[in-house]
Amino acid sequence: MKHILRTIWDSQFLFFLSLVFIGGIYLLVKRPDVKSKSDLIEINGTLKSVDQVLVYFKKIKKTENDSTYHIRLNEFPCFFQVSYKKWDSKSFSKNAKYGDRITFNISKNDLESLFKFNERVRTFSIKSNDKVYLSVDSGLKGFGKGYFEYSVILIPLILLIIIVSYRLKK
């Protein structure tokens, strides 16, 4: 009985690790290839809506840092995601009005996503009414180097290799 339970546990854990590994690959593939300002393009539009989306579960204390923002423009069916700690979200929420002209910098890789309904497009800068709420430099710094995606791939892969090699030796 103990052997059967161990086999079930191992198979479910291996399945879970495989899903996390595949999810990490998906995140890495969907990540825009942005290293400098030359990889970005400027997009202009008219503000349609701003939604604050909490990214953590209900039990965790929600603060401004726990949020990501989805901004929609009249000209595009996609939504623009902003989730950087360094952007001035309070001032943007206070000053930006529906119908204002908004300027974003997005990855050149995301040009196709602009015209897909409910597709997420990551923004690297926000400017409205001659006020900069997120500078390009801050957006590029906040984007990071992809270490999270690599860790989501490597940790489950290493665990899978260890578990499978251990089971094969037995």
Side-chain angles (χ1 to χ4, degrees):
M1 181 68 172
K2 199 175 194 181
H3 177 67
I4 293 171
L5 290 175
R6 179 78 175 157
T7 304
I8 292 171
W9 166 253
D10 282 351
S11 63
Q12 288 179 347
F13 188 61
L14 290 174
F15 179 71
F16 171 74
L17 288 175
S18 300
L19 288 179
V20 172
F21 173 73
I22 292 168
I25 292 173
Y26 174 78
L27 288 174
L28 188 63
V29 169
K30 289 292 284 180
R31 180 183 170 81
D33 186 26
V34 174
K35 292 178 180 51
S36 69
K37 292 179 184 180
S38 63
D39 297 326
L40 302 176
I41 189 165
E42 192 172 276
I43 299 296
N44 296 299
T46 310
L47 182 62
K48 181 178 182 179
S49 69
V50 179
D51 296 317
Q52 182 181 12
V53 181
L54 295 168
V55 293
Y56 294 120
F57 294 107
K58 295 177 182 176
K59 294 179 182 177
I60 297 175
K61 183 179 177 185
K62 295 174 181 74
T63 66
E64 193 65 26
N65 292 338
D66 298 337
S67 299
T68 188
Y69 287 81
H70 295 168
I71 300 172
R72 293 190 180 271
L73 302 179
N74 288 331
E75 293 80 4
F76 303 101
C78 64
F79 64 89
F80 298 88
Q81 177 180 314
V82 188
S83 55
Y84 301 104
K85 292 180 181 180
K86 296 194 178 208
W87 89 287
D88 193 1
S89 59
K90 289 180 184 177
S91 182
F92 180 80
S93 298
K94 181 179 165 185
N95 296 325
K97 307 289 183 242
Y98 302 118
D100 284 354
R101 295 298 293 169
I102 304 285
T103 303
F104 293 126
N105 276 299
I106 65 167
S107 169
K108 290 178 181 177
N109 299 346
D110 286 336
L111 283 175
E112 290 179 13
S113 299
L114 284 175
F115 302 100
K116 294 180 182 174
F117 183 72
N118 273 346
E119 187 77 14
R120 175 185 63 107
V121 176
R122 185 185 310 270
T123 61
F124 291 87
S125 74
I126 301 173
K127 181 178 159 187
S128 176
N129 301 329
D130 297 323
K131 180 164 174 27
V132 176
Y133 296 99
L134 175 65
S135 70
V136 175
D137 292 330
S138 292
L140 288 172
K141 280 183 194 172
F143 185 56
K145 305 259 188 255
Y147 296 134
F148 173 77
E149 289 83 356
Y150 289 120
S151 66
V152 170
I153 293 171
L154 289 176
I155 292 171
L157 180 62
I158 290 168
L159 288 173
L160 280 167
I161 291 170
I162 290 170
I163 292 170
V164 168
S165 64
Y166 176 75
R167 295 303 257 165
L168 289 176
K169 286 179 183 177
K170 276 188 147 181

